[in-house]
Amino acid sequence: MTYTAAALLGVAGAVVVDLFVLRTRLLRRRVFWATYPIIVFFQLISNGILTGRGVVRYDPDAILGLRLVYAPVEDLLFGFALVLLTLSLWTWWGRRDRSVPE
């Protein structure tokens, strides 16, 4: 499996979990989209440092080849999936904690 396929699969899985499994529906909230650029900004900085200095390397046959701040664009997809899944779980667990009597 290529890094591109894994990143796309990760995004699809995170979207399904958000919208249909946990039903947190973060993707439908303005606050998610208003704050996501902050995450992308710092992701690009860290990806640029790690890939620009050669700490992380990618097999050219496993990526599309398009890069943004030295990192393959697939990193943005993978990062999106990780952030969405983490926030979906955090929101879901927060709702569960409030519904449990002390």
Side-chain angles (χ1 to χ4, degrees):
M1 177 179 291
T2 65
Y3 191 63
T4 305
L8 290 171
L9 188 61
V11 169
V15 168
V16 167
V17 168
D18 174 53
L19 296 177
F20 304 109
V21 177
L22 301 180
R23 296 182 181 167
T24 51
R25 294 180 174 80
L26 296 178
L27 290 175
R28 295 185 178 175
R29 297 183 188 184
R30 267 188 224 166
V31 69
F32 177 83
W33 294 108
T35 56
Y36 192 70
I38 298 167
I39 294 167
V40 170
F41 174 75
F42 287 103
Q43 181 183 2
L44 289 173
I45 290 173
S46 60
N47 281 0
I49 292 169
L50 292 173
T51 56
R53 295 185 179 251
V55 175
V56 177
R57 296 180 188 181
Y58 297 90
D59 179 358
D61 295 331
I63 61 173
L64 292 175
L66 183 61
R67 291 181 177 260
L68 190 60
V69 192
Y70 300 107
V73 293
E74 290 91 340
D75 272 3
L76 290 175
L77 295 173
F78 188 63
F80 177 82
L82 288 173
V83 168
L84 178 59
L85 183 59
T86 300
L87 291 176
S88 295
L89 288 167
W90 187 341
T91 302
W92 184 73
W93 280 322
R95 289 178 184 167
R96 289 187 65 215
D97 286 345
R98 281 186 269 148
S99 66
V100 175
E102 293 182 20

